[in-house]
Amino acid sequence: MAESTFDVVVVGGGPGGYVCAIRAAQLGFKVACVEKRPALGGTCLNVGCIPSKALLAASEKFEEAAHGLAKFGIKVGGVELDLPGMLAHKDKVVKDNTGGIEFLFKKNKVTWLKGAGTITSGTTVEVEGVGTVTASKAIVIATGSEVTPLPGITIDEKKIVSSTGALELPEVPKRLVVIGGGVIGLELGSVWGRLGAQVTVIEYLDRILPTMDGEISKQSQRIFAKQGMTFKLGAKVTGATVGDAGVALTVEPAAGGAAETIEADVVLVAIGRRAFTQGLGLDTVGVELDNRGRVKIGKHFETNVPGIYAIGDVVEGPMLAHKAEEEGVALAEQLAGQKSHVNHDLVPGVVYTWPEVAAVGKTEEELKAAGIAYRTGKFPFTANGRARAGGNTDGFVKILADATTDTVLGVHLLGPNVSEMIGELVLAMEFSASSEDIARTCHAHPTLSEAVKEAALAVDGRPLHI
Ligand code: NAI
């Protein structure tokens, strides 16, 4: 190895780690990023956000071609699925994206140390197959997360799969049972449902998307059910038997009661993720974890060991790529003496189903629990001309504003392309906008985002188009 001394050594090349490495290099640090996968980009680019979006986009097009074009006066005959072709599209998207990070590393002179890293002291990392490297300024733990296993269920990535296996099923299962009605379950359930699988979602709680606003959970479940998904709420899986014909799941009411058997060809386990800290040497160097196995950090991402920092899924907060990226940038800038910070109250959450879900800020349930008085403005996409023109009228925009100051406290969207619309709301909230500010902002016509303006007007009881 030519170089073994760096200013900053980042362990993990996912969205938190690679972004931190690039920003640190931009700021003049000599940076290495330790990544053991054959490609950079972590879970997100290799087996998460990016491949799932490639399949979501492709399966949306397939479904639209097969069933969704007649209403536009377009007749299509003989639409056929070419699953290997669809999976190849996904693989190419992944390759282009991960290759892009490799290019960015070269451009920014970040050294990629290929191998598993173990932290051996506050200033040294042992990289398998490479040797020991020194970090004179900081070691950054950005090792991400892994699938939370379900006791009694063994993931074989063939019949019982995690999100990784669900991205490369060799054929469309007749019956797909998804354990967990969260983001992964609904996104990947949507993919295979569109391609022809009968999808059953088993959720432990009494609602899907339990961290989202209650109205979004309820309404989105209704829409997904109309699309053909079956939901079994308040239920837990207690066992699985794998046979030639498929998998027999034992399912019980979450509150206790008689068990039933649900048969599946493929089972997707999507009950959450947990911080990944295995083999990192944290116990040897004495880095403290919290009671959920996450690396404990202070306000500036510092661990209890001087010189060692942590960001992303491996620390507290939502396990989202964009949250990790923001933390990576903020940490690099802090190491350079700047005063950057991350506004953890305004991390948007998006579910890329169709319609999509996007949210930022507080839910109604959270405001009620905190005893904060608020006013609600809602506007449905059925009353939006652009949504009608595109044949996508499911969903609504809901804005929650402080009853006294009118400051926007939370925004919840269900509808077409709302993943792209949430940015406006995050920005508005970053500037402490009131609903009046949004209502008085000129929105182009005809656009879906007029529904945002109308919802803001509705906070004051004066929407124009409903
Ligand atoms: P999740 O936390 O979104 O959902 C897990 C669901 O499983 C919850 O509804 C939970 O109540 C349920 N559950 C837990 N234990 C269960 C059990 N024993 N039986 C039945 N249901 C059970 O986790 P998910 O979907 O696995 O995603 C993991 C992480 O990845 C999340 O943090 C998520 O935010 C992130 N992610 C984000 C995406 C996005 O931003 N679009 C896409 C995919 C994942």
Side-chain angles (χ1 to χ4, degrees):
M1 190 180 54
E3 288 285 355
S4 63
T5 307
F6 298 89
D7 300 317
V8 179
V9 174
V10 181
V11 184
Y18 85 70
V19 168
C20 182
I22 290 174
R23 186 69 189 118
Q26 283 178 345
L27 290 162
F29 290 118
K30 194 167 148 202
V31 184
C33 180
V34 184
E35 173 55 61
K36 63 185 177 183
R37 273 183 211 267
L40 293 165
T43 299
C44 176
L45 271 71
N46 286 282
V47 287
C49 331
I50 296 300
S52 64
K53 262 78 267 173
L55 287 184
L56 279 155
S59 62
E60 251 167 59
K61 287 181 197 300
F62 171 73
E63 182 169 88
E64 183 157 44
H67 309 292
L69 294 179
K71 67 184 176 203
F72 296 106
I74 303 170
K75 288 186 186 170
V76 188
V79 175
E80 259 180 68
L81 174 65
D82 165 16
L83 185 57
M86 199 177 274
L87 297 177
H89 156 71
K90 173 211 62 172
D91 293 339
K92 179 174 185 313
V93 172
V94 168
K95 197 157 175 280
D96 289 350
N97 272 270
T98 56
I101 310 301
E102 214 171 323
F103 162 78
L104 292 174
F105 269 18
K106 283 192 187 122
K107 183 182 156 201
N108 289 284
K109 302 193 173 46
V110 173
T111 304
W112 174 10
L113 302 173
K114 300 182 189 179
T118 305
I119 299 170
T120 43
S121 77
T123 52
T124 49
V125 179
E126 171 79 32
V127 183
E128 204 180 15
V130 174
T132 295
V133 293
T134 305
S136 58
K137 182 92 184 165
I139 292 172
V140 181
I141 304 168
T143 46
S145 58
E146 60 179 348
V147 173
T148 304
L150 183 55
I153 314 275
T154 309
I155 292 175
D156 60 12
E157 298 296 10
K158 294 219 157 27
K159 284 189 173 147
I160 302 184
V161 298
S162 70
S163 51
T164 304
L167 291 168
E168 50 190 19
L169 298 179
E171 57 189 62
V172 180
K174 264 208 183 94
R175 301 156 303 175
L176 172 69
V177 171
V178 179
I179 309 178
V183 190
I184 292 180
L186 294 171
E187 288 186 0
L188 291 175
S190 292
V191 165
W192 294 104
R194 289 170 192 158
L195 301 183
Q198 259 172 39
V199 179
T200 304
V201 176
I202 302 176
E203 165 61 47
Y204 185 80
L205 299 174
D206 59 0
R207 53 182 276 206
I208 61 167
L209 297 174
T211 56
M212 289 279 176
D213 187 89
E215 209 173 346
I216 295 272
S217 292
K218 209 182 272 171
Q219 187 69 12
S220 62
Q221 189 191 330
R222 228 176 267 152
I223 295 168
F224 301 145
K226 233 173 29 187
Q227 294 171 356
M229 268 190 204
T230 304
F231 291 94
K232 209 161 176 46
L233 304 182
K236 62 178 178 199
V237 175
T238 53
T241 315
V242 181
D244 287 343
V247 186
L249 290 175
T250 313
V251 182
E252 288 174 24
E260 63 174 318
T261 302
I262 297 183
E263 307 270 349
D265 300 297
V266 173
V267 174
L268 164 61
V269 181
I271 60 160
R273 298 180 63 85
R274 63 182 184 190
F276 183 77
T277 54
Q278 249 173 41
L280 266 180
L282 300 189
D283 40 358
T284 324
V285 286
V287 170
E288 268 180 56
L289 304 183
D290 67 14
N291 57 359
R292 291 173 60 184
R294 303 172 299 195
V295 176
K296 224 169 160 176
I297 50 166
K299 273 204 173 116
H300 300 286
F301 310 104
E302 76 280 13
T303 69
N304 61 311
V305 177
I308 304 183
Y309 301 79
I311 55 165
D313 282 11
V314 82
V315 302
E316 66 184 322
M319 291 184 168
L320 296 170
H322 42 279
K323 176 258 194 188
E325 289 185 32
E326 295 301 330
E327 291 180 343
V329 168
L331 171 56
E333 292 179 351
Q334 287 174 12
L335 292 172
Q338 298 181 10
K339 296 207 174 344
S340 312
H341 85 292
V342 178
N343 183 354
H344 284 101
D345 290 335
L346 294 184
V347 175
V350 173
V351 190
Y352 297 84
T353 46
W354 195 264
E356 295 177 336
V357 174
V360 63
K362 302 281 183 227
T363 63
E364 282 210 65
E365 292 75 15
E366 285 167 341
L367 292 177
K368 277 183 190 141
I372 297 170
Y374 62 94
R375 293 196 298 167
T376 306
K378 252 179 83 176
F379 191 79
F381 281 105
T382 40
N384 174 279
R386 186 71 186 280
R388 279 198 202 127
N392 286 304
T393 52
D394 277 336
F396 57 86
V397 176
K398 176 159 104 173
I399 296 182
L400 307 171
D402 188 286
T404 314
T405 64
D406 193 37
T407 306
V408 177
L409 302 173
V411 186
H412 306 278
L413 298 89
L414 171 68
N417 292 345
V418 295
S419 59
E420 300 293 346
M421 288 160 63
I422 194 70
E424 171 189 355
L425 282 324
V426 182
L427 187 64
M429 289 179 72
E430 278 288 357
F431 283 84
S432 306
S434 60
S435 75
E436 185 72 20
D437 290 327
I438 297 174
R440 292 201 180 273
T441 301
C442 184
H443 286 70
H445 176 76
T447 58
L448 297 169
S449 65
E450 285 172 287
V452 171
K453 179 190 171 89
E454 289 279 0
L457 283 166
V459 172
D460 194 39
R462 53 187 169 95
L464 292 164
H465 290 91
I466 198 158

